[in-house]
Amino acid sequence: MIRYKSVIALVVLLALVAAAGYFAIPIIRQEVKLGLDLQGGVYVLLEAKATDRSEVNDEAIRGTIEVLRNRIDELGVLEPVIQREGENRIRIEVADAEQDPESVLALIGQTALLEFLDPSGETALTGANLTNARAVYDSQDNRPAVSLELDSEGAAIFAELTRSVAGTGIPIPIVLDGQVISSPTVRQGVVITDGKAIIQNVGSIEDAARIAGLLRSGALPLELERLEIRAVGPELGSQSLLRSLYAGGLGLLFVIAFMIVFYKVPGIVASISLTIYLLLVMATLVGLNAVLTLPGIAGLILTIGMAVDANVIIFERIKEEIRNGKTLRSGVESGFKRAITTILDSNVTTLIVGFVLFAFGTGPVRGFALTLVIGVLISMITAVFVTRLIVKLVVNTNIIKSTKFFGV
């Protein structure tokens, strides 16, 4: 006799899954963050070198990363990846295909040490006393310039400096990264006390904006040597994404076909569980604000196979129990109990590897490890709880009574 309560529960469950997929997929597509290998961008690996002003240590590396972050922010790039690698290396990923790699390198590689020299050629004032810098047109000749504003200490030093050279014709060289970019003189009787100065001869207004941005972000504490640079175009990134999705979809299709052919009704249940599994994995990645990369997709596809493995173990145990003379209902119950230990044992070893890769790996390896760990955890949840719930509901409906529909 058909149990209509179980039928209704099964229908409601499947409807909820369908509704969740219908509403979640557009949100996931919109919110998931793609790495530069999927949407294009610039990858730069830098090595920090000691300078006369600073040794390579934790504080200097943190300061350098902060300055680099401020400079990348000037580009208007959303959430760039700027991370330390090892003792003295810094990795930068700008996932924005519109950015020119050379412009990015020019921006991050400039030291941006600003100095005002006194008549003896010694540094009287540095960019450390700068409070603001912006690109303007000079009111005297209408040419592009950089307007500077100094703090109170800098303003006092600058006032004394202008007083000492006023009317003498001796210039105040303004030096950026060792290059004199402006040498203004001060007229007789003029003392600049408001802490405002102008850098002239900076080229175009775009150059003035770039210099102003560099000065606002501050000087780099360390010298940076370029070790590696890669640029991924938007077309290549789009092709990589499409090929990855095609490979993943094709693999999923073959897996579903295999499961249905060999395991019949349980295979259909496994396909539903796989759909739930994928939704949960993608929702988790979006919730963690994780960036999906090509290695991450590889990890995701790998965990699809592992999720199927868990279902295969369960269904084989159920078939063994039924062949040993148990009924369909008791065979399902015993099969799940026997399979759980095996599933946990096999996945724990994979989780250990995933955690080690995430802890000690860098860049793409960490992306692979993150999707691997998330995928394995969710595959266990869907196999042990979701698949079990659906299979038990199917059996409880009494619609399917023959063990042939369970591949026995």
Side-chain angles (χ1 to χ4, degrees):
M1 182 178 177
I2 296 176
R3 296 181 177 179
Y4 289 101
K5 276 190 176 180
S6 296
V7 173
I8 293 171
L10 182 62
V11 171
V12 169
L13 178 63
L14 296 180
L16 287 174
V17 172
Y22 179 79
F23 290 107
I25 288 175
I27 297 174
I28 291 171
R29 289 180 60 183
Q30 184 178 355
E31 297 296 330
V32 68
K33 291 182 174 58
L34 302 178
L36 67 88
D37 52 357
L38 294 177
Q39 66 165 316
V42 182
Y43 171 91
V44 183
L45 182 63
L46 304 166
E47 185 171 272
K49 304 282 187 182
T51 67
D52 296 337
R53 307 186 308 277
S54 179
E55 295 292 326
V56 178
N57 51 40
D58 291 345
E59 183 180 356
I61 289 287
R62 283 197 297 270
T64 302
I65 289 176
E66 187 62 30
V67 172
L68 290 173
R69 189 174 301 283
N70 291 334
R71 292 185 181 184
I72 298 295
D73 287 344
E74 293 281 340
L75 294 171
V77 178
L78 293 175
E79 300 181 19
V81 176
I82 306 174
Q83 293 181 339
R84 181 178 184 175
E85 286 197 354
E87 291 294 323
N88 60 346
R89 292 185 177 182
I90 297 174
R91 174 171 56 90
I92 300 175
E93 293 181 7
V94 180
D96 185 347
E98 300 299 322
Q99 296 296 335
D100 175 29
E102 291 303 322
S103 298
V104 175
L105 283 174
L107 186 67
I108 65 178
Q110 197 159 345
T111 307
L113 175 61
L114 179 69
E115 298 170 290
F116 292 76
L117 304 185
D118 63 15
S120 63
E122 298 295 324
T123 301
L125 190 64
T126 70
N129 294 105
L130 198 66
T131 59
N132 192 19
R134 56 193 175 91
V136 297
Y137 285 98
D138 193 346
S139 59
Q140 294 182 354
D141 55 14
N142 202 34
R143 289 181 178 178
V146 178
S147 173
L148 305 178
E149 295 180 20
L150 303 171
D151 60 15
S152 57
E153 181 185 356
I157 297 173
F158 194 61
E160 184 61 31
L161 186 61
T162 55
R163 183 180 292 109
S164 66
V165 299
T168 64
I170 299 174
I172 300 176
I174 302 176
V175 182
L176 182 64
D177 289 348
Q179 182 178 1
V180 178
I181 55 176
S182 182
S183 295
T185 56
V186 183
R187 294 194 301 273
Q188 179 70 38
V190 174
V191 177
I192 301 175
T193 59
D194 59 0
K196 294 183 179 178
I198 289 286
I199 301 177
Q200 298 169 317
N201 302 323
V202 294
S204 66
I205 191 66
E206 289 78 14
D207 293 331
R210 181 178 59 80
I211 293 173
L214 286 169
L215 295 176
R216 281 197 301 271
S217 60
L220 285 173
L222 298 170
E223 181 184 342
L224 297 174
E225 180 182 346
R226 186 191 316 174
L227 297 181
E228 183 181 356
I229 176 170
R230 283 187 281 119
V232 180
E235 187 175 344
L236 181 59
S238 177
Q239 288 178 357
S240 299
L241 179 60
L242 285 176
R243 287 177 180 175
S244 301
L245 292 176
Y246 179 76
L250 197 61
L252 185 63
L253 191 64
F254 281 128
V255 166
I256 289 175
F258 170 82
M259 293 298 289
I260 293 176
V261 168
F262 281 87
Y263 294 100
K264 310 296 189 293
V265 171
I268 297 173
V269 174
S271 304
I272 297 170
S273 294
L274 276 179
T275 305
I276 297 172
Y277 159 79
L278 285 173
L279 288 174
L280 289 175
V281 169
M282 294 307 299
T284 303
L285 290 175
V286 171
L288 293 175
N289 212 23
V291 177
L292 189 62
T293 61
L294 277 176
I297 291 179
L300 183 62
I301 294 173
L302 176 62
T303 58
I304 290 175
M306 298 182 69
V308 175
D309 277 348
N311 285 283
V312 168
I313 292 171
I314 292 170
F315 299 150
E316 287 297 329
R317 294 287 185 273
I318 292 174
K319 288 166 69 173
E320 286 177 9
E321 295 295 325
I322 293 173
R323 288 193 186 106
N324 289 334
K326 291 190 176 179
T327 63
L328 192 56
R329 194 184 307 274
S330 61
V332 167
E333 195 63 40
S334 302
F336 270 102
K337 285 181 180 176
R338 287 184 56 201
I340 285 175
T341 304
T342 307
I343 293 171
L344 289 177
D345 288 346
S346 62
N347 283 322
V348 163
T349 54
T350 306
L351 281 175
I352 292 172
V353 173
F355 283 126
V356 171
L357 286 176
F358 187 80
F360 297 101
T362 58
V365 176
R366 283 171 66 93
F368 174 82
L370 179 65
T371 52
L372 181 66
V373 169
I374 292 174
V376 169
L377 289 173
I378 295 179
S379 72
M380 284 195 292
I381 293 172
T382 53
V384 174
F385 296 104
V386 178
T387 303
R388 183 175 191 169
L389 175 63
I390 299 175
V391 170
K392 288 181 73 174
L393 282 174
V394 170
V395 173
N396 288 339
T397 59
N398 279 344
I399 295 176
I400 298 173
K401 298 178 180 177
S402 173
T403 56
K404 290 182 180 177
F405 291 105
F406 275 68
V408 180

